[in-house]
């Protein structure tokens, strides 16, 4: 049996899916977490069923790509049973989708989620009367607290599939139009969808070519006859029924004037304080992960790794294995892994803090706050949700662009997400900031995240001005209730991301480290391939490649071929940059036996400004192979895909060049440039403001003594031209 889990975004679908199937799918307290359908098994004493978790939708009339997945699944009736999860705290809006699903006549059970919130607010929903009115089982549950799950499973087990259920009947006028369409479509549900969505619904109907023009003519005739817009007629009739039903079953607590969420939002989403608070919260997260606490925990963890690896190395030496085997294990495998895995504690602290922000509902507010800023540049605030996901990994973030309503918004967001600093880049910042910036390391790491966001937003504005000039779709975002993060969800989020990091270290990165070791420690000497000594690795295969490319990177601060090779290895996986440095610099500074891992080697080969330039280039350059693959899939255009890769490389190079060249100047010169730039920008802004005010203040030139000298367009003449254009249109 196939059971589809359908509901509004953020109604608790994925939480219920995990409860029913025992899965550990990621759950977030914001709309749009699920962008692809997922499946799992429900096993009970009496049934075994496939549960399909579909992306959240407010209605079967879809706009975005992920909504299309859910809507088409229903229209094609691919399930035996629907579990419609309804958010009890937003009953009116959620029942709209319920009524649309009832039109399909697919067997259905309603899971009324969030009943604990209703009880806490001292409100009441008569779910038994609701069940009677809808003529289907309604089960009160609280998915996050595992309340009512057994009752829901039992309702599925005993569901009577043979029972004929009454269909929703609309008013006489609506029913007459449905009947007319149904004469040709021969399917009441699809006839209703045709009435509501027009030609889109015919993709799922079997209408003969002869009848299609007749249907279109009837549809156009209906549009002329109806007083309301045709796509509003059915929703209006449906909402009238829903409102009448809610009056019968829902008792609201009128004493509650302001909820706790409302009180918190007055501060956290304040017009002026919201953005500084957001920056402050994110700064605290990075202070926690990369400040004194995170550094101390990492030092203890590195010490443990060193002790373990030292034990392995002694064992290898005692076994008397071939030199190349010993080199592979100590330099290739442990040299690379030790440099990367050592940052696991700091990453876990970062993931833990982000999980708390996600689970509490604050991340939705972050998108809301950023919407104000992005909207001024014609960008959709909804784009910020995928960017937030990009703090974890670019691959799901790029996939999440499917939640955006317009193709242009999807393209812009996909193209800028690689600039957002993902978790894989954190070890790069960790090793450089820890080695060269000491107590200010967390500020340096935080600045990298800000730099990524700044470049992403500026690039989006540039793309909008030059290539994608149409207006962004309107953004209506539901802000969920704040809730106390649960230990289980927080741990699952933290562990899932940490596990991905460890799995990548043990698979892709390990394979990459072995290849890098081979190319670094083997080369041709006197025409023979052989294992190289430490002072010979300049003659290795990678040595030749690195030296050949070094002149290209010298202007941005690279002064040694291992740095060039390390940055190139980041195209496989960003973590491998640190591992490659561990392998290559392990020849001169034993990274395994040193308690501070790569720190001495970094201090010996980089200055502070070189390190900052290196980090900036790693941040902004082409992402890893997995993200590049996701980018190609979502852009669906070879032209924009190639453009994006070239653009990212150019931006990374330009930013790193500016950082290194300006940062290498004497401090007096830098301050002079900053001061002069500030003055120039100030003057330009003032001139721009003056010109705008001049244009808007001069509503008319009548009576103005300077009108003859004014170079701006004359308002009177402008208005006359407009009036002429209007009269032409009227004629």
């Amino acid at each position: 049996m196939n059971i589809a889990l359908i509901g509004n975004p953020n109604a608790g679908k994925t939480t219920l899916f995990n409860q029913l199937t025992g899965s550990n799918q990621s759950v977030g307290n914001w709309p749009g977490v699920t962008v692809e359908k997922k499946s799992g098994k429900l096993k009970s004493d009496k049934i075994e069923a496939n549960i399909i978790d579909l992306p959240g939708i407010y209605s079967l009339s879809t706009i975005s790509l992920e909504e299309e997945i859910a809507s088409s699944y229903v229209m094609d009736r691919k399930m035996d049973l629907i579990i419609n999860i309804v958010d009890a705290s937003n009953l009116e809006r959620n029942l709209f989708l319920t009524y649309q699903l009832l039109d399909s006549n697919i067997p259905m059970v309603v899971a009324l989620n969030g009943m604990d919130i209703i009880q806490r607010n001292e409100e009441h929903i008569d779910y038994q009367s609701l069940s009677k009115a809808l003529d289907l089982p309604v089960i009160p549950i609280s998915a996050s607290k595992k309340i009512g799950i057994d009752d829901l499973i039992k309702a599925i087990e005993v569901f009577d599939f043979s029972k004929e259920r009454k269909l929703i009947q609309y008013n006489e006028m609506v029913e007459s139009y449905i009947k007319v369409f149904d004469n040709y479509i021969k399917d009441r549900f699809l006839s209703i969808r045709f009435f509501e969505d027009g030609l889109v619904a015919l993709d799922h109907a079997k209408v003969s070519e002869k009848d299609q023009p007749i249907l279109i003519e009837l549809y156009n005739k209906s549009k002329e006859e109806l007083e309301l817009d045709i796509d509003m007629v059915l929703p209006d009739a449906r909402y009238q029924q829903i409102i009448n039903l809610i009056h019968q079953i829902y008792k609201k607590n009128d004493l509650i004037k302001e909820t706790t969420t409302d009180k918190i939002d007055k501060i956290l989403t304040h017009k002026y304080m919201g953005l500084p608070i957001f920056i402050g919260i994110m700064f605290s997260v990075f202070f926690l992960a990369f400040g004194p606490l995170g550094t101390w925990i990492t030092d203890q963890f590195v010490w443990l790794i060193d002790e373990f690896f030292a034990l392995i190395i002694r064992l290898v030496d005692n076994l008397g294995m071939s030199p190349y085997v010993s080199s592979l294990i100590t330099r290739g495998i442990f040299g690379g892994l030790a440099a990367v895995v050592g940052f696991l504690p700091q990453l876990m602290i970062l993931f833990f803090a982000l999980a708390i922000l996600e689970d509490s509902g604050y991340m939705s507010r972050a998108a809301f706050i950023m919407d104000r800023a992005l909207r001024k540049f014609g960008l959709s605030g909804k784009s910020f949700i995928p960017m937030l996901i990009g703090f974890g990994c670019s691959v799901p973030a790029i996939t999440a662009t499917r939640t955006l309503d317009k193709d242009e918004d999807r393209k812009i967001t996909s193209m800028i997400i690689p600039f957002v600093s993902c978790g894989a880049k954190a070890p790069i910042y960790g090793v450089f900031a820890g080695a060269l910036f000491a107590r200010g390391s967390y500020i340096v790491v935080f600045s990298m995240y800000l730099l990524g966001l700044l470049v992403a937003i500026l690039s989006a504005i540039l793309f909008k001005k030059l290539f994608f000039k149409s207006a962004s779709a309107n953004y209506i975002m539901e802000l969920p209730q704040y809730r106390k993060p649960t230990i289980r969800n927080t741990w699952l989020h933290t562990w899932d991301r940490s596990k991905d990091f460890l799995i990548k270290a043990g698979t892709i990165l390990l394979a990459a480290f072995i290849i890098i070791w081979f190319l670094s420690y083997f080369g041709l000497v006197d025409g023979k391939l052989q294992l190289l000594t430490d002072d010979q690795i300049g003659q290795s295969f990678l040595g030749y490649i690195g030296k050949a490319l070094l002149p290209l990177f010298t202007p941005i601060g690279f002064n040694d071929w291992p740095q060039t090779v390390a940055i190139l290895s980041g195209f496989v996986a960003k973590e491998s940059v640190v591992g490659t440095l561990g392998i290559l610099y392990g020849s001169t500074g034993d990274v395994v036996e040193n308690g501070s891992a790569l720190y001495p080697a970094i201090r010996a080969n980089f200055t502070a400004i070189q390190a900052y330039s290196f980090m900036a280039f790693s941040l902004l350059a082409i992402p890893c192979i997995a993200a590049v693959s996701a980018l190609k899939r979502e852009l669906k255009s070879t032209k924009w895909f190639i453009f994006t890769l070239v653009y990212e490389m150019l931006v990374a190079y330009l930013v790193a060049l500016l950082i290194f060249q300006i940062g290498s100047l004497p401090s007096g010169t830098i301050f002079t440039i900053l001061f002069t730039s500030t003055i120039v920008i100030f003057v330009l802004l003032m001139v721009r403001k003056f010109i705008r005010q001049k244009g808007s203040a001069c509503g008319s030139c009548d009576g103005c003594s300077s009108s003859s000298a004014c170079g701006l367009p004359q308002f009177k003449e402008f208005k006359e031209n407009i009036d002429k254009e209007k009269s032409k249109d009227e004629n």
Side-chain angles (χ1 to χ4, degrees), residues 477-496:
M477 183 175 182
E478 177 190 354
L479 294 181
Q481 298 269 329
Y482 285 107
R483 70 183 182 201
K484 190 165 71 175
T486 63
I487 294 175
R488 184 176 184 277
N489 276 345
T490 306
W491 167 245
L492 279 177
H493 276 161
T494 306
W495 172 240
D496 280 348

Side-chain angles (χ1 to χ4, degrees), residues 275-296:
L275 189 57
I277 290 174
F278 171 59
I279 294 172
I281 288 174
M282 296 309 294
F283 180 80
S284 302
V285 168
F286 292 105
F287 177 75
L288 196 65
F290 297 97
L293 176 64
T295 303
W296 182 82

Side-chain angles (χ1 to χ4, degrees), residues 25 110 117 149 177 208 230 303 306 330 368 408 538 569 625 637 725:
Q25 295 292 339
V110 168
I117 297 174
I149 306 301
Y177 282 106
S208 67
I230 190 167
W303 179 81
D306 287 349
T330 57
F368 173 76
E408 291 189 351
S569 70
I625 288 176
S637 163
E725 292 295 328

Side-chain angles (χ1 to χ4, degrees), residues 142-163:
S142 175
S144 61
K145 297 184 178 178
K146 301 181 182 179
I147 298 172
I149 306 301
D150 290 340
D151 294 335
L152 179 62
I153 294 173
K154 189 175 179 181
I156 298 169
E157 289 174 344
V158 301
F159 190 87
D160 184 3
F161 287 90
S162 62
K163 180 183 174 184

Side-chain angles (χ1 to χ4, degrees), residues 199-235:
L199 293 174
V200 177
L202 293 185
D203 293 340
H204 305 270
K206 294 179 181 176
V207 180
S208 67
E209 291 185 6
K210 184 185 73 175
D211 289 341
Q212 285 187 14
I214 302 173
L215 261 176
I216 294 170
E217 189 178 341
L218 288 170
Y219 183 81
N220 290 331
K221 185 181 175 187
S222 306
K223 286 171 70 176
E224 295 171 2
E225 292 173 351
L226 293 165
E227 292 181 2
L228 281 175
D229 289 341
I230 190 167
D231 56 349
M232 296 300 295
V233 174
L234 252 170

Side-chain angles (χ1 to χ4, degrees), residues 292-323:
L293 176 64
T295 303
W296 182 82
I297 295 175
T298 296
D299 286 344
Q300 309 311 309
F301 186 67
V302 168
W303 179 81
L304 285 175
I305 291 176
D306 287 349
E307 290 295 311
F308 174 70
F309 285 171
L311 182 68
I312 298 294
I313 290 169
R314 284 196 294 273
L315 181 63
V316 170
D317 289 341
N318 291 335
L319 289 174
M321 300 171 80
S322 297

Side-chain angles (χ1 to χ4, degrees), residues 648-713:
E648 286 169 355
M649 285 303 291
L650 288 176
V651 168
Y653 194 89
L654 182 62
V655 172
L657 183 70
L658 289 172
I659 290 172
F660 180 70
Q661 294 298 334
I662 294 176
S664 299
L665 296 172
S667 58
T669 307
I670 296 175
F671 285 126
T672 302
I673 292 173
L674 289 175
F675 179 78
T676 306
S677 302
T678 306
I679 292 297
V680 170
I681 293 171
F682 174 78
V683 170
L684 290 174
L685 288 175
M686 289 301 104
V687 169
R688 182 170 177 265
K689 185 178 179 182
F690 174 77
I691 292 174
R692 284 192 165 185
Q693 286 181 341
K694 187 78 176 171
S696 61
C698 295
S700 170
C701 295
D702 291 342
C704 177
S705 58
S706 303
S707 59
S708 59
C710 181
L712 295 172

